Amino acid sequence: QVQLVESGGGLVQPGGSLRLSCAASGSIFSIDDMGWYRQAPGKERELVAGITNGGRTNYADSVKGRFTISRDNAKNTVYLQMNSLKPEDTAVYYCNADLTMVGWNKKPYWGQGTQVTVSS
């Protein structure tokens, strides 16, 4: 059994900052790529940022220069530092990890989602 548990969402004013965390736990053999996705009401889920286990990152154009993804491999945790937040960043943010459970093949796992609301 594997769980991805997110934290750090909430309500913030435009221009503010939030830091999301996602910790993976359970019978984990290895974790490859990790990432953050978001889904706004009436829209499809989209990739926000991704990071390989070697630390290579990629970002959606809409968040480049404002968001930073990082990870702590020893803690099986991925972070998303979000600065200069805009109302259009409002969405449910989901953590994703391509991981291998002990005795199983690699597959993607998802967190339960955390709400981020940017509003004055």
Side-chain angles (χ1 to χ4, degrees):
Q1 190 81 349
V2 169
Q3 278 191 313
L4 270 63
V5 179
E6 298 131 337
S7 60
L11 172 64
V12 64
Q13 291 187 342
S17 298
L18 283 175
R19 188 188 193 217
L20 305 183
S21 300
C22 172
S25 62
S27 300
I28 298 170
F29 176 73
S30 65
I31 303 178
D32 292 332
D33 296 348
M34 302 184 82
W36 289 94
Y37 289 71
R38 67 186 180 187
Q39 188 166 19
K43 295 188 176 182
E44 293 188 354
R45 190 173 296 189
E46 63 174 357
L47 174 67
V48 176
I51 184 167
T52 68
N53 60 6
R56 190 169 68 246
T57 60
N58 65 288
Y59 296 92
D61 288 343
S62 59
V63 307
K64 282 180 181 177
R66 300 187 298 122
F67 291 10
T68 302
I69 189 171
S70 61
R71 64 190 283 174
D72 184 334
N73 290 335
K75 296 181 179 180
N76 291 336
T77 299
V78 63
Y79 307 95
L80 186 67
Q81 177 67 42
M82 305 185 292
N83 298 329
S84 302
L85 282 160
K86 304 175 181 180
E88 50 264 42
D89 294 318
T90 296
V92 178
Y93 284 70
Y94 296 91
C95 170
N96 170 271
D98 288 334
L99 65 83
T100 303
M101 282 182 60
V102 175
W104 293 82
N105 295 327
K106 183 172 69 174
K107 70 173 188 177
Y109 289 82
W110 292 90
Q112 79 284 358
T114 185
Q115 177 70 46
V116 171
T117 302
V118 185
S119 175
S120 54

